[in-house]
Amino acid sequence: MEIINEQALSQCIRDAVRAELQQHFKTGDSQSPQEERLLSKQELADELGVSLVTLSDWMKKGLPFLRLHRRVYFKKSEVLKIMQQDITD
């Protein structure tokens, strides 16, 4: 007896994750201090004043990022930490 098929379960999980991500980005500024808002490639490029091509090159060289589905996100604190290490080395 099959209660839910694999495709329906997969779609349900995708919808739930999508809804959570949308909620997260809508309320991104009202988070607790321990939580950090994730930045998209465009947001980080704008924040650092570099092009998307430069950011992609940095990713290939080890810039930490998270991949959620087809999208790429960054934790600003991790990026700044890596950049500071490169400067002091």
Side-chain angles (χ1 to χ4, degrees):
M1 178 170 72
E2 187 174 358
I3 296 173
I4 187 169
N5 66 26
E6 187 175 326
Q7 188 176 13
L9 178 61
S10 178
Q11 184 63 42
C12 185
I13 292 170
R14 264 188 298 231
D15 291 344
V17 169
R18 186 175 293 116
E20 284 296 317
L21 282 173
Q22 287 173 346
Q23 183 64 28
H24 173 75
F25 287 115
K26 283 181 186 174
T27 61
D29 294 333
S30 62
Q31 300 170 23
S32 68
Q34 287 112 0
E35 292 183 16
E36 183 177 358
R37 182 175 159 309
L38 298 175
L39 301 176
S40 68
K41 281 179 81 170
Q42 185 65 57
E43 290 171 325
L44 184 62
D46 291 344
E47 187 90 19
L48 297 176
V50 298
S51 70
L52 291 174
V53 173
T54 299
L55 196 57
S56 295
D57 287 342
W58 290 353
M59 289 167 59
K60 291 175 187 173
K61 293 178 181 178
L63 187 70
F65 64 94
L66 304 167
R67 187 175 298 276
L68 300 173
H69 239 289
R70 293 181 179 175
R71 297 185 180 178
V72 173
Y73 297 99
F74 301 87
K75 286 186 176 180
K76 186 176 175 183
S77 63
E78 288 183 9
V79 171
L80 294 176
K81 182 178 173 185
I82 289 293
M83 293 177 80
Q84 262 186 333
Q85 286 176 351
D86 287 346
I87 291 172
T88 57
D89 288 348

